[in-house]
Amino acid sequence: MTFTVSDLRQQPAFFDAVADRIWRAWWKERGLPIDYITGRLRENMNVEPIPFALVAHDGETFLGTASVIASDLEDRQHYTPWVAAVWVEPEHRQQQIGRTLVGRAAGNAFDLGIGHVYLCAPKIRRNFYLRQGWTPVEEEVGERRVTVFVQHKSQRPAEPGSPERGHR
């Protein structure tokens, strides 16, 4: 599948789709209104380098998203920055979109001069991140019992989504 990964600031037409997916995946069941997420996502539209959101799309079709934010776990503020809110539309999974989004998010952070990036994930996603060169630093963290991973710029694998893989 051919797709493009863009900074959401350059593709604001996808703002509502990104907000909706983030809200439905992580916040709706916690009782937070979508307005909370749209407010937080607006921070990604500012000129500051972090936070930023990426969107995977095929023309006008939304495929997925990932963000880089200062912190994703309140009790782990010393880890910064984080790749967060990784989402791929169910019908487009298993097509390297998530891998490409995560790789591009980390790569963009490294391009800012940052030496390491963190993310957290449930046990079911552990192998997905291990295969991409992420290293676990803490297990069973918080009430969701997630694993915290780190990736160092010096240990970064080749960028997924390169032209030879058919991604734009």
Side-chain angles (χ1 to χ4, degrees):
M1 170 177 214
T2 301
F3 61 91
T4 303
V5 173
S6 302
D7 188 306
L8 185 59
R9 291 172 282 210
Q10 274 64 60
Q11 293 290 332
F14 292 109
F15 183 92
D16 290 340
V18 171
D20 177 73
R21 294 338 181 267
I22 292 171
W23 178 66
R24 288 178 190 274
W26 294 285
W27 299 99
K28 182 180 180 182
E29 287 186 13
R30 295 181 189 181
L32 277 110
I34 193 165
D35 292 345
Y36 171 77
I37 296 305
T38 58
R40 296 289 305 272
L41 190 58
R42 281 192 220 305
E43 297 170 13
N44 291 271
M45 304 304 280
N46 295 328
V47 297
E48 290 82 18
I50 294 177
F52 65 85
L54 301 175
V55 61
H57 56 99
D58 182 8
E60 296 180 11
T61 303
F62 173 79
L63 304 175
T65 187
S67 294
V68 173
I69 61 176
S71 180
D72 201 19
L73 293 175
E74 276 190 36
D75 55 347
R76 298 298 190 275
Q77 298 285 324
H78 58 286
Y79 296 144
T80 190
W82 293 72
V83 173
V86 178
W87 174 263
V88 175
E89 294 287 77
E91 65 272 22
H92 296 291
R93 292 179 182 165
Q94 303 296 316
Q95 298 177 40
Q96 301 293 313
I97 296 167
R99 178 182 173 89
T100 301
L101 283 163
V102 170
R104 189 74 51 85
N108 287 3
F110 295 144
D111 289 347
L112 294 171
I114 295 165
H116 51 269
V117 180
Y118 298 89
L119 63 78
C120 63
K123 192 171 282 196
I124 194 168
R125 299 283 177 245
R126 181 183 178 85
N127 286 334
F128 176 78
Y129 292 108
L130 289 173
R131 285 190 306 267
Q132 294 179 59
W134 292 83
T135 303
V137 292
E138 287 191 60
E139 306 281 350
E140 304 285 325
V141 176
E143 64 184 48
R144 293 183 4 224
R145 316 303 294 163
V146 296
T147 299
V148 176
F149 293 88
V150 66
Q151 189 172 86
H152 298 279
K153 183 177 184 174
S154 62
Q155 298 171 320
R156 180 161 166 65
E159 171 75 22
S162 60
E164 63 272 10
R165 293 194 118 157
H167 307 293
R168 290 181 263 158

